[in-house]
Amino acid sequence: MALSRWVVGISALLLGACGGPAESGAGLPVGDTASVEQRSEEPGGGTRYGQHRTYYHDAAKQNWAGAWHADCSGYITQSGQVTAYFTDTFFLCS
């Protein structure tokens, strides 16, 4: 008896967590997938940029504190110290 209550309780939780019973797609447009254009793009699509950020110890940006670099291959390197004062440089990936 206790086991059947447990099964019913778990089933109700799962049904509620999954969004309940399947609903019909009433009101949703039905598309024709035969006319959909397909094309291949790199992840992120469009033009890709790399980034280099230089950190400084002071607001005058004269004393280097560290650097952060994200290259076109997706590698990120960081050296030195991260501060509130920085400049960003973006470059185009070929």
Side-chain angles (χ1 to χ4, degrees):
M1 185 71 128
L3 182 59
S4 64
R5 288 182 187 169
W6 183 81
V7 170
V8 170
I10 291 296
S11 298
L13 285 174
L14 289 174
L15 187 61
C18 295
E23 297 178 6
S24 66
L28 297 177
V30 177
D32 179 16
T33 58
S35 63
V36 174
E37 178 186 348
Q38 295 183 5
R39 58 189 169 141
S40 176
E41 279 189 18
E42 293 185 28
T47 306
R48 292 184 13 202
Y49 294 91
Q51 180 181 3
H52 181 80
R53 178 174 284 182
T54 304
Y55 293 100
Y56 299 93
H57 284 290
D58 53 2
K61 298 179 181 175
Q62 294 179 346
N63 298 319
W64 184 89
W68 180 88
H69 182 81
D71 67 9
C72 295
S73 299
Y75 293 104
I76 297 174
T77 56
Q78 182 174 342
S79 62
Q81 182 180 14
V82 175
T83 66
Y85 310 108
F86 60 87
T87 57
D88 282 333
T89 305
F90 296 92
F91 52 93
L92 186 62
C93 295
S94 56

